[in-house]
Amino acid sequence: MELQVQMLYLFVLAIPIACVAWTVTHEEVFKEPRTYCATKSEKSQSLLARKFYYLFTCEYCFSHYVTAVFLIITKYRIFFEDWRGYLISFFALVFIANFYMTIFGLLRQNLKAEKIEAKLKDNEWHEVKEEIEAKAKDK
């Protein structure tokens, strides 16, 4: 495979990896299992159990396992056709996927801040409107 195609695969394949890792570790659809795992990661007696359950609460950690599954499914290798290609592609995919998740997290944070600002402005507008109406009734 040509280098340009390998790079295209790298940036495209990192998208579903980031999507799966983010969804499992952040979104409401997995809130209950994630809460269970978070509790187990804090309260389990065994170090192995604590680390195992923690993997489902950290997007960085979980992205490694999602990447491994995607590499098994796609057999994607970069630069080399042997195990070295898998090793390099593994860490490259984890890096790009985590970059995507960071950007997505920042975008979501900005959108939430804008929503809160809009709600505050809307509340202020309603308060001003009520004051104007109250003054109009008093006259």
Side-chain angles (χ1 to χ4, degrees):
M1 197 180 334
E2 289 185 29
L3 184 59
Q4 293 89 347
V5 176
Q6 289 179 353
M7 290 296 117
L8 178 64
Y9 274 52
L10 173 66
F11 285 95
V12 172
L13 192 54
I15 294 170
I17 292 169
C19 182
V20 170
W22 183 273
T23 301
V24 170
T25 59
H26 286 84
E27 297 302 329
E28 285 295 313
V29 71
F30 288 103
K31 182 179 181 181
E32 291 80 12
R34 191 174 50 252
T35 303
Y36 172 79
C37 288
T39 302
K40 289 293 230 176
S41 76
E42 293 169 2
K43 296 183 178 176
S44 290
Q45 296 295 321
S46 163
L47 175 67
L48 188 61
R50 286 194 309 269
K51 298 305 176 188
F52 173 78
Y53 286 109
Y54 182 75
L55 296 175
F56 298 98
T57 63
C58 168
E59 76 262 8
Y60 176 75
C61 302
F62 193 64
S63 69
H64 286 76
Y65 293 93
V66 175
T67 300
V69 169
F70 271 79
L71 284 176
I72 291 167
I73 293 169
T74 63
K75 298 183 181 5
Y76 172 68
R77 295 176 303 265
I78 192 168
F79 299 133
F80 301 101
E81 291 297 317
D82 56 7
W83 65 271
R84 297 174 298 172
Y86 283 118
L87 186 65
I88 293 169
S89 62
F90 177 80
F91 289 109
L93 283 167
V94 167
F95 179 82
I96 301 297
N98 279 281
F99 177 76
Y100 288 163
M101 287 188 283
T102 300
I103 298 299
F104 183 70
L106 291 172
L107 286 172
R108 282 190 59 169
Q109 189 176 28
N110 287 339
L111 289 173
K112 281 183 182 180
E114 287 176 12
K115 265 187 180 179
I116 291 169
E117 276 182 33
K119 198 175 245 186
L120 287 172
K121 286 180 183 178
D122 189 46
N123 288 343
E124 288 174 13
W125 183 82
H126 285 296
E127 289 174 9
V128 169
K129 181 181 172 190
E130 288 172 3
E131 284 179 25
I132 293 171
E133 289 173 352
K135 286 180 184 178
K137 285 181 183 179
D138 289 342
K139 289 183 181 183

